Amino acid sequence: MITSTVNGRVGGSFRDPSGFVFWRDGVLYRQISLLGRDSYDRLMSSGLYDRLVAEALLIPHEEVRAQTNRSVAAYKVIRPEPIPFISYPYEWCFSQLKDAALSTLRIQKMALAFDMSLKDCSAYNIQFWRGKPVFIDTLSFEPYREGRPWVAYRQFCQHFLAPLALMQHTDIRLSQLLRVNIDGVPLDLASRLLPWRTVCRFALLSHIHLHAKSQRHYANKAVNIERARMTRRAFEGLIAHLEATVGAMRWQPRGTEWAEYYENTNYSSEAMQHKHQLVSEFLAEADPWMVWDLGANDGRFSRLASDRGIQTIAFDIDPAAVEKNYQRSRQAEPHLLPLVLDLTNPSPSLGWAHQERMSLLERGPVDLVMALALIHHLAISNNVPLDHLARFFSRVGQWLIIEFVPKSDSQVRRLLATRQDVFPTYTQVMFEQAFQHYFTIRRSVQIEGSERTLYLMRRRDRVEHLVEC
């Protein structure tokens, strides 16, 4: 679970004048300003908060007596239930972004029934908690004003609808546009990138193409939102149409390099069974609270941790593998969170002053890291030296379960088939020497029926200050 030893505001919590999030002695709080008092009181007294929490759509909180920031006029302080791991929309697979969008619309429909509305629809207001998308911004609600248009409509289209459409109709990798555009994909850009045939789809024509055209038309014109009118019935119709549009979106994972990895692996059933046994034994010895599985593919080995009740984040570069993993995990696996991540270019610090969105390393370190059938891809396909890998893993976790795959393995021979072997240091001896600088090897076992070796390592205490540099 992400905690902070530094007291003060969270870097990404400064844009909302209604309040902000801050750390105090390792506990996360939200301060509500006097400006946000009326909306917060309406949320709590109307019954909407209780309904949303009961439906697991809003993160629960409790009001507490805590020291406030005296530089801001404070009304109340609340302590939200902690989220084990903070993820971002550019790390989600297609179905995660779709489920987050549908949850946001469901919240808006429910809010309207209590005469309230969402004043913003940022995808960053959603986190995955106990296996499901949940809204985390208590201050995003405001009283509904009869006749006023939905002020969060454009943001919903930029954060959810546009990237989903691009992922479905153009290329699944365009989800990474959310990493470049922190306030969602600009609609004019989405309109240009979408294939022409999408103009024939009324939903995309109206919500993206014509919406983008309208934005261009009014870009340099003053618009009085108080004079714009939208009846409650039209408001409800807009939400229903968006819900139907998002609900109909589909993306079938196929055709990527790793989508069928375990169907094409060189593991025999004996080797696979022995590897399962070893990973289970190593997990039991380390006894972690949270695991990061780097290169998790469809999560087969991630589940050895999550099935034990261990909070497990399953990272993989392949959107198809992550999609398959999520479609399975969302059924009944509350401790597993699949995410898309390129380990050679992991999520960086983003936003104002590089503090609004945390890098991967800022969300660690974690108790235990798994790197199974991974390092030969990093060392050979991406030319990352073994000592660089060892140092990186020592920064990420206290314990490490890692698999060494020698050059004689058929998977490594495949990687070297089309290139010159310029990796004389890629040997098991050199691997152990590189990692022993940062780790103590607790166990090393050759996997039966293969030439691969599985290691359990623990970071050396003497290098803790080095890995933080």
Side-chain angles (χ1 to χ4, degrees):
M1 177 169 48
I2 295 175
T3 59
S4 176
T5 57
V6 179
N7 291 336
R9 288 197 190 196
V10 171
S13 183
F14 67 90
R15 297 185 185 273
D16 187 356
S18 299
F20 58 88
V21 179
F22 67 96
W23 289 102
R24 180 80 65 192
D25 299 327
V27 179
L28 191 68
Y29 299 96
R30 183 185 293 272
Q31 181 168 314
I32 302 166
S33 70
L34 293 175
L35 188 63
R37 176 180 58 188
D38 293 342
S39 292
Y40 174 77
D41 286 346
R42 172 75 73 87
L43 170 69
M44 301 304 295
S45 63
S46 66
L48 176 57
Y49 169 84
D50 294 328
R51 176 74 181 278
L52 291 172
V53 169
E55 298 282 341
L57 290 170
L58 177 66
I59 197 75
H61 70 258
E62 60 177 333
E63 296 181 4
V64 296
R65 296 177 63 86
Q67 184 179 356
T68 62
N69 186 327
R70 291 187 175 86
S71 65
V72 180
Y75 173 55
K76 284 186 177 180
V77 174
I78 61 175
R79 182 171 60 207
E81 186 163 331
I83 301 291
F85 182 85
I86 300 297
S87 63
Y88 300 126
Y90 44 83
E91 297 169 338
W92 299 344
C93 66
F94 180 87
S95 289
Q96 284 174 310
L97 187 60
K98 176 180 174 179
D99 285 351
L102 291 174
S103 292
T104 301
L105 292 171
R106 186 180 171 194
I107 290 167
Q108 174 56 53
K109 286 174 63 177
M110 200 172 292
L112 203 54
F114 287 84
D115 288 326
M116 295 200 77
S117 182
L118 289 173
K119 64 182 180 182
D120 62 74
C121 273
S122 169
Y124 297 99
N125 287 341
I126 294 286
Q127 287 297 321
F128 284 84
W129 181 68
R130 298 177 181 172
K132 297 179 180 180
V134 62
F135 203 78
I136 63 169
D137 190 356
T138 314
L139 300 181
S140 283
F141 297 88
E142 64 179 3
Y144 168 68
R145 294 171 59 183
E146 185 69 39
R148 188 182 184 188
W150 190 28
V151 295
Y153 172 52
R154 183 181 72 173
Q155 193 174 45
F156 179 87
C157 291
Q158 292 181 170
H159 280 242
F160 294 109
L161 192 61
L164 284 170
L166 290 168
M167 293 164 77
Q168 177 183 1
H169 295 287
T170 305
D171 193 301
I172 190 65
R173 293 168 294 182
L174 289 179
S175 63
Q176 293 306 298
L177 286 175
L178 289 168
R179 179 164 148 173
V180 179
N181 300 278
I182 199 167
D183 196 27
V185 179
L187 297 184
D188 63 329
L189 177 61
S191 180
R192 288 197 295 270
L193 291 176
L194 284 169
W196 177 250
R197 67 177 183 274
T198 58
V199 175
C200 301
R201 295 173 178 259
F202 176 73
L204 298 184
L205 172 64
S206 58
H207 296 305
I208 295 181
H209 295 294
L210 294 181
H211 195 168
K213 185 176 181 180
S214 175
Q215 280 185 313
R216 287 194 297 270
H217 178 73
Y218 289 104
N220 297 314
K221 299 179 182 179
V223 178
N224 187 346
I225 193 172
E226 298 299 329
R227 298 183 61 182
R229 302 293 297 173
M230 174 180 278
T231 66
R232 188 185 188 104
R233 185 173 181 179
F235 195 151
E236 292 171 340
L238 172 64
I239 303 304
H241 193 255
L242 286 170
E243 191 172 39
T245 300
V246 174
M249 288 179 158
R250 299 285 186 275
W251 180 71
Q252 184 62 37
R254 62 179 180 273
T256 58
E257 183 178 3
W258 306 109
E260 310 296 335
Y261 175 78
Y262 285 117
E263 283 71 16
N264 302 313
T265 184
N266 61 358
Y267 272 112
S268 65
S269 58
E270 175 192 34
M272 185 64 75
Q273 182 178 357
H274 189 220
K275 184 175 176 179
H276 273 249
Q277 175 190 332
L278 290 174
V279 171
S280 296
E281 290 177 3
F282 290 0
L283 285 168
E285 182 171 339
D287 192 26
W289 183 84
M290 179 178 283
V291 166
W292 287 4
D293 187 358
L294 304 178
N297 198 265
D298 66 3
R300 173 176 296 193
F301 290 94
S302 307
R303 287 176 173 81
L304 295 179
S306 63
D307 287 349
R308 292 170 171 261
I310 301 170
Q311 298 292 331
T312 305
I313 317 300
F315 297 100
D316 200 88
I317 191 174
D318 187 353
V322 177
E323 178 75 18
K324 288 185 174 183
N325 195 2
Y326 176 68
Q327 287 184 4
R328 178 180 171 185
S329 69
R330 67 178 172 181
Q331 301 302 317
E333 294 182 318
H335 300 293
L336 182 63
L337 175 60
L339 293 174
V340 178
L341 180 78
D342 179 357
L343 201 56
T344 64
N345 184 24
S347 302
S349 302
L350 295 174
W352 178 253
H354 303 284
Q355 293 182 344
E356 287 190 76
R357 309 291 174 247
M358 293 181 287
S359 69
L360 175 67
L361 289 178
E362 286 176 303
R363 286 172 280 173
V366 70
D367 301 327
L368 183 144
V369 174
M370 294 201 299
L372 308 177
L374 174 66
I375 65 161
H376 55 295
H377 296 290
L378 298 174
I380 293 177
S381 297
N382 293 281
N383 290 52
V384 182
L386 290 174
D387 60 329
H388 285 58
L389 292 173
R391 185 172 188 274
F392 170 78
F393 286 121
S394 70
R395 297 178 67 190
V396 177
Q398 178 73 22
W399 289 85
L400 175 64
I401 300 176
I402 190 167
E403 182 177 9
F404 181 79
V405 184
K407 287 184 180 179
S408 55
D409 186 276
S410 63
Q411 294 292 336
V412 180
R413 291 202 304 269
R414 182 170 66 88
L415 296 178
L416 291 170
T418 58
R419 63 181 304 179
Q420 182 182 1
D421 184 354
V422 292
F423 309 99
T425 62
Y426 185 80
T427 67
Q428 190 162 355
V429 170
M430 297 298 289
F431 163 80
E432 291 184 359
Q433 287 180 1
F435 276 77
Q436 282 180 315
H437 182 70
Y438 296 95
F439 292 92
T440 299
I441 298 176
R442 301 292 288 264
R443 290 184 63 185
S444 62
V445 183
Q446 184 172 339
I447 299 171
E448 295 175 359
S450 79
E451 297 178 301
R452 303 182 176 197
T453 302
L454 199 66
Y455 292 83
L456 173 65
M457 303 183 184
R458 183 166 185 172
R459 190 176 65 185
R460 294 179 181 272
D461 292 337
R462 67 178 179 84
V463 300
E464 285 188 9
H465 71 285
L466 295 176
V467 302
E468 294 171 357
C469 297

